Amino acid sequence: MKKKIIMSGRLREKHLKILLSVLSIIIFECRELLYLGFLRSGIREESLVTVSWLGYLCPTAFESRNHLFFECSYTWEIWRTVASRCGLNPARSWNLVLIQLESHNRRSTRGILNLFCWQGCIYWSWSERNARLHRNVFRSYDMICRLLDRQMRDKILSFRASTPSASSIMMQQWLA
């Protein structure tokens, strides 16, 4: 007769977290060994088709939230371009960007515009990362900035019916 082991929810969650962290370490180590094995066997780095543990947008560092937003040179160029159009002095650190955004009144037109730009930058950066990862499609940061510009204009114009004055002020700030 088999005995069932019943774990409490907290204990089960703790065991799952430990298991997932161990598995992620094992997967990382296997990828690293596979990568080093290819290099030792004389296969060139450019010809590797294996999944990289480095960032997909800029392969100079491990992919993390801080690197992706906005330590990565690719996403930094997008954020720098967009933030300067909003009148922000762009920060490169995730935490500094959050502090910067929180310092503006979220109900003001400038605060709303800043949030829209930040959200758009995150959306298009993540979208580009996924396009490179899953579809092997690469776009320049200029192209992403053009897409983001079109999205911002459309978003601002969507306020025209409900609050025409706010829409007008935000469009003037965006186009300035």
Side-chain angles (χ1 to χ4, degrees):
M1 180 171 195
K2 293 182 179 178
K3 292 184 180 179
K4 289 186 180 180
I5 299 174
I6 300 174
M7 289 193 228
S8 70
R10 295 171 90 182
L11 189 58
R12 186 179 315 132
E13 185 177 292
K14 183 179 176 183
H15 285 301
L16 284 175
K17 284 181 182 178
I18 292 170
L19 179 64
L20 287 176
S21 64
V22 169
L23 282 176
S24 65
I25 291 169
I26 291 171
I27 290 170
F28 176 80
E29 291 297 323
C30 288
R31 283 183 184 165
E32 187 174 351
L33 290 174
L34 177 67
Y35 181 74
L36 291 174
F38 276 120
L39 291 180
R40 280 193 207 114
S41 66
I43 296 175
R44 291 187 335 222
E45 253 182 80
E46 302 87 35
S47 66
L48 290 178
V49 188
T50 59
V51 176
S52 173
W53 59 89
L54 295 176
Y56 292 98
L57 296 176
C58 106
T60 59
F62 292 102
E63 192 171 75
S64 67
R65 181 200 65 197
N66 291 340
H67 178 72
L68 195 58
F69 307 112
F70 300 100
E71 292 170 2
C72 168
S73 59
Y74 182 88
T75 58
W76 167 246
E77 287 300 322
I78 298 168
W79 174 240
R80 187 181 58 79
T81 304
V82 172
S84 62
R85 286 188 69 176
C86 294
L88 283 174
N89 184 16
R92 216 163 173 160
S93 161
W94 174 264
N95 293 330
L96 291 177
V97 171
L98 292 181
I99 290 168
Q100 203 173 33
L101 291 171
E102 289 173 350
S103 69
H104 295 284
N105 181 357
R106 286 183 231 149
R107 296 187 193 278
S108 71
T109 54
R110 184 172 180 194
I112 293 170
L113 185 65
N114 291 341
L115 284 175
F116 286 159
C117 289
W118 179 66
Q119 290 168 348
C121 189
I122 289 174
Y123 171 81
W124 285 108
S125 297
W126 191 254
S127 177
E128 177 62 18
R129 177 214 176 261
N130 285 342
R132 290 178 180 202
L133 172 63
H134 299 294
R135 295 188 313 269
N136 206 25
V137 174
F138 295 78
R139 292 180 286 202
S140 69
Y141 79 88
D142 290 330
M143 177 58 118
I144 299 296
C145 287
R146 284 195 294 271
L147 291 168
L148 186 53
D149 176 56
R150 182 73 256 164
Q151 181 185 28
M152 288 300 299
R153 290 174 191 228
D154 292 343
K155 185 71 172 176
I156 293 168
L157 287 173
S158 72
F159 288 104
R160 178 67 87 207
S162 60
T163 54
S165 61
S167 175
S168 178
I169 291 168
M170 283 193 288
M171 188 62 82
Q172 288 172 16
Q173 288 174 342
W174 179 249
L175 296 176

